[in-house]
């Protein structure tokens, strides 16, 4: 694979999203740079409130960015009008976390999957529409007999399959998966992860996979970005990040995963102290500093740049600066 | 050997719903010694929470039904106790429960201090002639114990974060120093780093106070880090039980357990595909004949379709599967 010749499918430069509320500013996404190559998966990990969902939605322009650029196949989509954006939306879709609240309870499975096809005038007639919906249901592993069922009749795993079919309906190139398996049981979670990976192999999809579950993200991602309070603290290829985590927060996150292996039991868990601070008007400097065991004087005061320590491995930490 | 604290024999729980009963728990045996921690593992709908509610006799009065079984706690059969005795002698005093969602298990219009004091005051009032627990001191003590400064006791739940709320709930449960603590998915609603903090605190307190614990979870990783024994539930039955070594190290497993482990993405080993169990758990109002797992089982034999397997035991390890019982093995050879 020659990376230099390819244009990234998605490129984000200096993206910021601030929410203003009663004179204060909430820094949800703060200066994020990323690029996703076609056919790969970028995993975005972080705890609740770190801005990972806001980032996903801002990239799709479901939320207007405060500052920065979003490039889709090399074209800037930050400034285009809503009408023009429609064209791009056909290639970008999203799967939400909760399959219970992201489906209209009054519409049948077929109607839900058909909606994007109807809205975008993809099918010429009803027969074609029906055929396409059945095809999609087959792709995601939904039985034909569920064609006229309603979401409440189905379990979480099947509902998530409907959401996936709906996202696939108009042949997108890029899908933001916002915690698609968090609401599901482990055995169902594995079924959905396998489905998403098969679809990627067969259709060459590009994913941005947002999750708080590190074991899931390692399994599915090509590259992983760790976020903390709106900042990217570390970014590396999946394998590299797990073998050689450098940022203290990444290390803490990794050590906090309970591992189903009792030989690890003797190793006492050393949880990081404290909780995530408020993202409203944060002080400059490393946002993890108050919880960090290695915090030094120069960690606060000025912002910390993301530096490349080895090929493709970026980290924002004073300890890694030479 | 240590003393037996809880002994459940052939417990069945059904919910009334329309004409067909929903069989949530279908004859389980469980035992727990003093100071031990049992991990009760299973997917949504396996009957884990129903088992816990049955122990505390908190099943919904009109619809919840225990047709068979016994729950012996400290020598008394809880199912034969009066409601009055359950309230004064057992709940909150000897057995406490922590629920999954800390956001909804606290009263939003009472300060956390008042909520913790409530249980202590109630049990003080029912203790005649015995020594009473000084309420204020005890509230301060338990709050400090779970890592919350006692000065915050006059604050309301909304002023605490999720992790802190769960600490308050744990403080409430431990206020009367119960002998058994049932924790129903105590960390599922929390972030990983906060989960690690709460789990570390819970195991520390358990060791300090010597409380026995039943930890209900779907996370095999959590079980590996803090439990002594494991029981795996499927469709209201315990399909495999044993010590940690039996479940995590031993080679012999129920096919469902194998499936559960296969479904977890492993951080150590590179696998491109996960190997999930196909299909879904059976509907508890229409349980299949024979082994409840047979239609999803990759090793299903003829006998599995007709007969529920006997329990095969090897030391502390028990598996309910025809693959391991003599009957199944013999038939396998005949075929």
């Amino acid at each position: 694979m020659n990376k230099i010749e390819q244009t990234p499918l998605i490129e984000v430069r200096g993206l910021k999203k601030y929410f203003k509320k009663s004179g204060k500013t909430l820094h949800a996404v703060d200066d994020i740079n990323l690029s996703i190559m076609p056919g790969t998966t970028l995993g975005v990990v972080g705890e609740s409130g770190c801005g990972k969902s806001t980032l996903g939605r801002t990239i799709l322009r479901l939320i207007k960015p405060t500052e920065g650029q979003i490039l889709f196949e090399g074209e800037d989509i930050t400034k285009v009008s809503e009408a023009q954006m429609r064209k791009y939306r056909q290639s970008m879709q999203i799967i939400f976390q909760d399959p219970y609240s992201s489906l209209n309870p009054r519409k049948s499975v077929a109607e839900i999957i058909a909606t994007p096809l109807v809205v975008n005038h993809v099918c010429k007639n009803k027969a074609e529409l029906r055929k396409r919906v059945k095809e999609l249901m087959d792709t995601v592993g939904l039985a034909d007999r569920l064609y006229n069922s309603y979401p409440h009749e189905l379990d979480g795993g099947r509902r998530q399959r409907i959401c996936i079919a709906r996202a696939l309906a108009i042949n997108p190139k890029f899908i933001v998966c916002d915690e698609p398996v968090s609401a599901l049981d482990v055995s169902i979670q594995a079924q959905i992860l396998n489905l998403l990976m098969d679809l990627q192999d067969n259709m060459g999809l590009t994913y941005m996979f947002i999750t708080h579950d590190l074991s899931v993200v390692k399994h599915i991602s090509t590259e992983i970005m760790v976020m903390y309070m709106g900042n990217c603290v570390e970014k590396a290829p999946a394998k590299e990040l797990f073998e050689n985590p450098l940022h203290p927060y990444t290390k803490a996150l990794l050590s906090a995963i309970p591992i189903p292996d009792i030989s690890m039991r003797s190793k006492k868990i050393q949880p990081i102290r404290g909780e995530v601070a408020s993202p409203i008007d944060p002080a400059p400097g490393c946002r993890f500093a108050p919880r960090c065991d290695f915090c030094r004087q120069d960690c606060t005061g000025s912002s910390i740049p993301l530096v490349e320590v080895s090929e493709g491995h970026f980290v924002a930490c004073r300890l890694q600066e030479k | 050997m240590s003393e037996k604290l809880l002994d459940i024999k052939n417990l069945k729980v059904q919910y009334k719903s329309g004409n067909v009963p929903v069989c949530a728990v279908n004859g389980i045996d469980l035992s727990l010694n003093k100071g031990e921690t049992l991990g009760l593992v299973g997917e949504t709908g396996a009957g884990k929470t129903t088992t816990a509610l049955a122990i505390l006799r908190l099943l919904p009065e009109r619809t919840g039904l225990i047709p068979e079984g016994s729950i012996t706690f400290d020598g008394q059969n809880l199912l034969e106790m009066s409601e009055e005795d359950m309230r004064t002698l057992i709940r909150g005093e000897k057995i406490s429960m922590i629920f999954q969602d800390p956001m909804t298990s606290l009263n939003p219009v009472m300060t956390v201090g008042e909520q913790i004091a409530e249980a202590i005051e109630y049990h003080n009032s029912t203790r005649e002639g015995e020594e009473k627990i000084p309420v204020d001191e005890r509230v301060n003590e338990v709050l400090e114990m779970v890592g919350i400064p006692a000065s915050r006791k006059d604050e309301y739940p909304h002023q605490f974060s999720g992790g802190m709320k769960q600490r308050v709930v744990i403080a409430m449960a431990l206020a009367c120093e119960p002998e058994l603590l049932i924790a129903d998915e105590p960390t599922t609603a929390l972030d990983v780093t906060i989960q690690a903090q709460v789990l570390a605190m819970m195991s520390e307190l358990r060791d300090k106070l010597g409380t026995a614990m039943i930890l209900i979870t779907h996370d095999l990783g959590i079980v590996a880090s803090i439990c002594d024994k494991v029981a795996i539930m499927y469709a209201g039955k315990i399909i495999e039980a044993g010590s940690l070594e039996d479940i995590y190290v031993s080679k012999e497993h129920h096919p469902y357990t194998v499936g559960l482990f296969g479904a977890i993405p492993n951080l150590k080993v590179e696998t491109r595909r996960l190997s999930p169990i196909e299909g879904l758990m059976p509907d508890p109002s229409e349980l299949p004949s024979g082994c409840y797992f047979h239609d999803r089982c990759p090793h299903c034999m003829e006998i599995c379709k007709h007969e529920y397997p006997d329990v095969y035991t090897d030391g502390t390890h028990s598996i309910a599967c025809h693959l391991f019982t003599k009957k199944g093995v013999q038939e396998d050879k005949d075929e």
Side-chain angles (χ1 to χ4, degrees):
Chain A
M1 283 241 279
N2 200 340
K3 269 189 183 171
I4 306 149
E5 285 170 26
Q6 273 179 313
T7 7
L9 187 76
I10 293 284
E11 202 177 345
V12 167
R13 293 183 193 150
L15 190 71
K16 290 183 186 174
K17 178 66 207 173
Y18 295 165
F19 293 102
K20 288 228 181 336
K21 201 188 164 195
S22 48
K24 292 173 187 162
T25 314
L26 189 149
H27 297 224
V29 172
D30 217 346
D31 204 7
I32 295 284
N33 294 294
L34 60 88
S35 63
I36 312 175
M37 287 294 163
T40 63
T41 304
L42 174 75
V44 179
V45 215
E47 291 177 88
S48 20
C50 74
K52 52 192 193 306
S53 292
T54 308
L55 175 66
R57 284 168 204 206
T58 314
I59 290 176
L60 296 184
R61 274 207 38 199
L62 294 173
I63 307 174
K64 218 171 166 285
T66 310
E67 224 183 284
Q69 275 183 313
I70 305 156
L71 277 70
F72 182 77
E73 291 186 316
E75 290 169 67
D76 192 346
I77 58 165
T78 339
K79 298 273 158 15
V80 299
S81 68
E82 270 307 308
Q84 279 174 295
M85 196 56 212
R86 284 237 173 133
K87 195 184 86 203
Y88 291 103
R89 289 250 164 79
Q90 294 192 13
S91 336
M92 325 161 90
Q93 287 290 316
I94 183 164
I95 301 166
F96 293 100
Q97 169 168 10
D98 186 359
Y100 295 86
S101 59
S102 54
L103 296 173
N104 185 340
R106 293 185 178 200
K107 286 193 168 181
S108 71
V109 172
E111 283 172 312
I112 292 169
I113 300 175
T115 308
L117 298 167
V118 174
V119 170
N120 292 297
H121 312 291
V122 177
C123 297
K124 287 185 201 75
N125 51 43
K126 276 208 173 139
E128 201 187 315
L129 184 71
R130 199 178 159 83
K131 195 173 146 252
R132 179 77 183 123
V133 169
K134 291 221 164 150
E135 236 173 66
L136 284 163
M137 286 177 67
D138 188 50
T139 317
V140 298
L142 282 169
D144 244 9
R145 66 187 156 82
L146 302 174
Y147 191 82
N148 287 317
S149 307
Y150 284 85
H152 75 266
E153 299 171 57
L154 308 175
D155 60 278
R158 291 220 178 86
R159 282 186 226 207
Q160 202 56 289
R161 284 175 199 266
I162 302 175
C163 296
I164 297 172
R166 177 174 64 181
L168 290 175
I170 44 173
N171 292 318
K173 291 178 183 156
F174 175 61
I175 300 179
V176 173
C177 307
D178 190 356
E179 306 245 17
V181 294
S182 311
L184 308 173
D185 268 321
V186 270
S187 71
I188 311 298
Q189 179 176 326
Q191 291 173 7
I192 297 293
L193 286 176
N194 277 347
L195 172 67
L196 285 171
M197 288 196 290
D198 290 345
L199 291 173
Q200 181 166 46
D201 291 345
N202 298 336
M203 304 164 82
L205 293 169
T206 308
Y207 293 138
M208 177 162 153
F209 200 94
I210 300 168
T211 180
H212 65 272
D213 189 332
L214 281 155
S215 41
V216 168
V217 90
K218 184 196 177 197
H219 189 72
I220 200 163
S221 308
T222 331
E223 206 184 13
I224 298 175
M225 181 166 111
V226 182
M227 281 182 78
Y228 189 78
M229 280 176 72
N231 286 143
C232 166
V233 294
E234 190 162 2
K235 195 167 75 178
K239 215 172 153 214
E240 165 77 9
L241 187 90
F242 278 82
E243 278 168 8
N244 187 22
L246 293 174
H247 198 280
Y249 179 63
T250 314
K251 287 183 189 166
L253 265 185
L254 286 176
S255 70
I257 317 173
I259 296 168
D261 179 357
I262 51 169
S263 57
M264 310 295 285
R265 200 178 150 97
S266 49
K267 224 176 68 185
K268 256 272 186 217
I269 328 164
Q270 282 291 343
I272 38 171
R273 57 204 156 86
E275 291 177 18
V276 183
S278 161
I280 296 169
D281 294 327
C286 177
R287 291 181 185 173
F288 185 62
R291 297 173 79 184
C292 185
D293 285 335
F294 309 97
C295 182
R296 303 193 306 215
Q297 214 149 37
D298 57 347
C299 287
T300 48
S302 61
S303 68
I304 294 162
L306 208 56
V307 286
E308 187 164 11
V309 282
S310 61
E311 205 203 331
H313 192 159
F314 296 85
V315 62
C317 182
R318 287 276 184 243
L319 297 175
Q320 300 303 328
E321 283 174 21
K322 300 267 149 65
Chain B
M1 273 305 280
S2 44
E3 228 177 306
K4 206 167 251 188
L5 183 69
L6 179 76
D7 196 18
I8 300 178
K9 285 248 147 58
N10 194 29
L11 178 72
K12 289 187 182 170
V13 183
Q14 295 177 350
Y15 292 109
K16 271 190 276 178
S17 151
N19 296 323
V20 257
V22 175
C23 306
V25 177
N26 303 303
I28 61 165
D29 297 306
L30 267 184
S31 75
L32 189 67
N33 293 334
K34 285 199 169 144
E36 255 182 351
T37 303
L38 170 78
L40 199 56
V41 187
E43 291 175 82
T44 315
K48 314 179 295 275
T49 304
T50 301
T51 308
L53 293 179
I55 296 173
L56 278 166
R57 293 252 313 268
L58 285 173
L59 290 166
E61 209 176 333
R62 281 163 182 275
T63 51
L65 200 77
I66 302 178
E68 253 182 85
S70 69
I71 302 173
T72 316
F73 178 79
D74 242 357
Q76 288 169 295
N77 188 348
L78 295 184
L79 298 180
E80 283 161 7
M81 276 178 111
S82 68
E83 181 56 34
E84 175 75 19
D85 282 350
M86 270 313 282
R87 200 162 48 216
T88 54
L89 302 175
I90 301 294
R91 281 182 215 137
E93 174 84 7
K94 295 244 174 72
I95 310 179
S96 287
M97 183 151 175
I98 302 170
F99 295 92
Q100 172 168 0
D101 188 356
M103 325 299 161
T104 54
S105 46
L106 291 170
N107 186 341
V109 296
M110 272 171 92
T111 65
V112 298
E114 283 167 7
Q115 295 188 51
I116 297 171
E118 219 182 2
I120 308 170
E121 277 162 8
Y122 180 78
H123 289 289
N124 266 346
S125 70
T126 58
R127 263 186 220 122
E128 277 159 34
E130 285 173 65
E131 206 185 323
K132 315 246 168 182
I133 304 175
V135 179
D136 278 343
E137 278 110 274
R138 184 70 189 145
V139 170
N140 295 347
E141 197 183 304
V142 288
L143 273 176
E144 297 281 355
M145 197 166 74
V146 296
I148 297 176
S151 55
R152 293 193 69 180
K153 71 174 172 184
D154 294 325
E155 289 181 22
Y156 289 88
H158 74 267
Q159 291 167 290
F160 290 81
S161 66
M164 292 294 241
K165 274 188 219 165
Q166 195 60 291
R167 284 169 193 262
V168 172
V169 174
I170 295 171
M172 277 165 74
L174 294 177
C176 294
E177 300 198 336
E179 286 171 53
L180 174 64
L181 178 68
I182 303 175
D184 187 1
E185 308 250 9
T187 56
T188 311
L190 308 174
D191 272 318
V192 266
T193 58
I194 308 299
Q195 164 173 297
Q197 288 174 359
V198 170
L199 286 176
M201 184 198 82
M202 281 176 70
S203 46
E204 200 186 298
L205 287 178
R206 173 200 59 193
D207 296 344
K208 205 169 90 190
L209 306 172
T211 317
M213 198 153 85
I214 296 180
L215 182 77
I216 298 176
T217 178
H218 61 266
D219 190 330
L220 285 160
I222 294 178
V223 173
S225 58
I226 71 171
C227 296
D228 306 312
K229 296 207 296 196
V230 192
I232 298 171
M233 281 188 89
Y234 181 78
K237 282 271 194 189
I238 289 179
I239 50 107
E240 184 166 350
S243 66
L244 274 187
E245 284 77 19
D246 294 334
I247 305 292
Y248 289 87
V249 183
S250 157
K251 290 274 178 297
E252 292 180 328
H253 289 299
H254 193 283
Y256 177 66
T257 315
V258 177
L260 265 189
F261 276 98
I264 315 171
N266 195 320
L267 286 175
K268 293 254 155 56
V269 193
E270 286 287 328
T271 35
R272 177 65 186 148
R273 279 187 72 88
L274 298 169
S275 38
I277 319 158
E278 291 304 325
L280 299 166
M281 201 174 315
D283 182 346
S285 59
E286 290 173 72
L287 288 170
S289 61
C291 174
Y292 298 155
F293 188 59
H294 82 250
D295 52 350
R296 297 173 75 184
C297 182
H299 309 287
C300 180
M301 298 177 288
E302 205 41 48
I303 187 172
C304 303
K305 294 177 188 159
H306 313 298
E307 208 176 304
Y308 195 85
D310 293 331
V311 177
Y312 157 85
T313 45
D314 176 16
T316 50
H317 196 181
S318 59
I319 307 172
C321 180
H322 284 301
L323 286 175
F324 302 99
T325 54
K326 278 205 183 99
K327 245 188 219 162
V329 173
Q330 259 165 13
E331 192 181 291
D332 209 23
K333 276 178 191 157
D334 295 341
E335 268 172 26

